[in-house]
Amino acid sequence: MKEKETQRVASSEDYCVSEKTRRLWAVEMEIADVLLDFCQKHDLKVYACYGTLIGAVRHKGFIPWDDDMDFVMMRDDYDRLLQLIKVEGARLLPENYAFDTDDISVLKLRRNYTTMLQTSYRLGKTNQGVWIDVFCLDVAPDNLAEADTGRYDRLRRQIRMDKNYKLRYYVYVPTLHFFVGHLLLKVYFFFKDINRHRKEIEDELRLDAQKYSGQKVWGFVFWSSVYETRKISIYDRSWFDDMVMLPFEDRQLPCPAGWEQLLTAQYGDWRTPVKGRSQHEGAYIDLDMPYREFVESRLKAMPWWKRYWYRH
């Protein structure tokens, strides 16, 4: 996603990329091929963005210290994609690939029979194979003063509740605080259907996208549980009117024609290489182990009461 700026480097060629990272890149590129073929087949516009776009422009491939791929779609195409997934499901994808819609803030396309956990305690019941991210860009007010930041903060809290409940974030956190938090969520969603909770959030997001009719879009999902509204860059929709193909490793990726304005709005001086933490730094990655096998191995190593907590 965002390139994390921590240390300037004289040249990106000086950075040594590990063999494990190169293997991960190869898998992510295969997943990206599936996404792009899918979108082309169904006439959906998708663009490389964030760190992936910087990589395409500045490095003709991955940023050497980056290890994820990010794409964006406008709301109309994004919702059409969700509808296709809902109606057709896995039949539209090659074997071993699956769309993951469990995270409201982003759509993921995953490669089955692999394992990637971003943090050690996020042992969820959903498939956690290697993924690439697809974000939705919604229309923003031309004047940010019109934005109801208090309402967006409430939406972010509701989204965090959904994430924490579905992914069992608290399973590996040994403090009472987190166990109690998860228990309260279980009680809350015992009385309120989790799918209804989620539909209410998604309906509100779509209604908000229809509220504005200007030429601005949020530079990152405005309802993200990570960023505050006032810290999010605003893009001009015209930057996405046309698409250009830029070289990326041994392929080409679709990118917004206004990539220069977009990157400047998002990062400022994006041309100077800045060594940062990778998006998946500290993640557990196994390109040869299916996620279910990984879960079973972790469960066997747990005390019985933790196994019960996870399974229930």
Side-chain angles (χ1 to χ4, degrees):
M1 213 171 302
K2 285 193 175 183
E3 192 184 11
K4 301 174 181 60
E5 300 193 357
T6 58
Q7 177 186 351
R8 293 190 178 274
V9 293
S11 171
S12 58
E13 284 72 24
D14 297 335
Y15 187 83
C16 181
V17 180
S18 69
E19 184 59 32
K20 181 178 181 180
T21 297
R22 292 190 183 280
R23 285 192 65 203
L24 177 60
W25 286 356
V27 172
E28 290 177 341
M29 284 299 302
E30 291 171 2
I31 301 173
D33 287 343
V34 172
L35 172 68
L36 298 179
D37 288 346
F38 183 96
C39 289
Q40 183 178 30
K41 179 179 179 181
H42 296 283
D43 195 26
L44 302 173
K45 292 182 180 179
V46 61
Y47 308 87
C49 204
Y50 310 125
T52 304
L53 181 57
I54 288 182
V57 174
R58 197 174 68 194
H59 305 275
K60 313 302 182 193
F62 284 94
I63 298 173
W65 41 88
D66 197 12
D67 58 5
D68 72 328
M69 296 191 74
D70 298 310
F71 294 86
V72 296
M73 303 176 77
M74 294 298 174
R75 167 59 69 182
D76 290 347
D77 284 319
Y78 188 85
D79 278 349
R80 284 177 57 207
L81 174 58
L82 291 179
Q83 186 63 25
L84 284 168
I85 296 169
K86 180 179 179 181
V87 174
E88 298 291 343
R91 287 181 294 175
L92 296 175
L93 292 172
E95 187 179 1
N96 299 337
Y97 293 90
F99 281 112
D100 175 2
T101 60
D102 277 347
D103 190 339
I104 296 176
S105 62
V106 60
L107 176 68
K108 298 178 184 293
L109 179 56
R110 294 187 183 272
R111 171 79 171 268
N112 297 330
Y113 307 114
T114 62
T115 296
M116 183 161 68
L117 291 174
Q118 194 155 346
T119 57
S120 62
Y121 59 86
R122 293 187 181 183
L123 182 58
K125 292 189 175 182
T126 55
N127 170 35
Q128 299 290 308
V130 174
W131 72 84
I132 63 173
D133 290 322
V134 184
F135 296 94
C136 174
L137 297 184
D138 274 312
V139 179
D142 287 333
N143 181 1
L144 274 183
E146 300 175 15
D148 184 353
T149 56
R151 176 172 162 274
Y152 295 153
D153 288 340
R154 177 176 58 81
L155 279 172
R156 279 194 289 271
R157 287 194 296 270
Q158 292 177 321
I159 291 169
R160 280 198 295 270
M161 289 171 64
D162 176 86
K163 289 182 178 181
N164 290 340
Y165 178 76
K166 286 202 169 187
L167 292 182
R168 274 46 174 193
Y169 280 13
Y170 304 126
V171 170
Y172 277 117
V173 180
T175 64
L176 180 63
H177 169 77
F178 287 105
F179 281 115
V180 170
H182 185 62
L183 178 61
L184 291 175
L185 281 177
K186 288 170 74 71
V187 172
Y188 176 82
F189 286 117
F190 177 81
F191 292 101
K192 182 173 184 178
D193 179 67
I194 181 68
N195 293 320
R196 183 163 64 90
H197 171 84
R198 182 174 199 177
K199 186 175 186 304
E200 290 173 357
I201 298 173
E202 292 176 334
D203 287 346
E204 193 162 353
L205 294 173
R206 287 174 175 81
L207 283 173
D208 195 89
Q210 298 170 11
K211 185 188 303 183
Y212 307 113
S213 58
Q215 290 300 308
K216 304 297 183 183
V217 292
W218 297 99
F220 189 73
V221 280
F222 67 77
W223 34 270
S224 166
S225 60
V226 180
Y227 297 103
E228 296 180 17
T229 306
R230 63 178 179 273
K231 295 181 179 179
I232 302 175
S233 302
I234 297 295
Y235 298 162
D236 194 302
R237 193 162 188 164
S238 65
W239 300 342
F240 297 87
D241 285 346
D242 295 312
M243 180 183 293
V244 294
M245 302 299 292
L246 297 180
F248 193 93
E249 303 296 333
D250 59 349
R251 297 163 172 81
Q252 291 196 332
L253 293 184
C255 300
W259 55 263
E260 185 166 7
Q261 299 98 307
L262 186 156
L263 291 178
T264 301
Q266 185 74 44
Y267 301 104
D269 180 17
W270 55 270
R271 291 178 174 82
T272 303
V274 176
K275 167 67 175 67
R277 295 178 67 250
S278 68
Q279 183 68 18
H280 300 140
E281 188 166 323
Y284 177 89
I285 300 173
D286 192 325
L287 302 179
D288 303 306
M289 176 181 286
Y291 176 66
R292 295 313 312 172
E293 290 184 15
F294 168 79
V295 169
E296 290 304 318
S297 67
R298 285 296 183 93
L299 290 177
K300 289 178 181 177
M302 286 182 188
W304 68 267
W305 58 273
K306 277 194 174 182
R307 286 199 299 273
Y308 180 84
W309 180 273
Y310 171 78
R311 293 186 184 282
H312 296 79

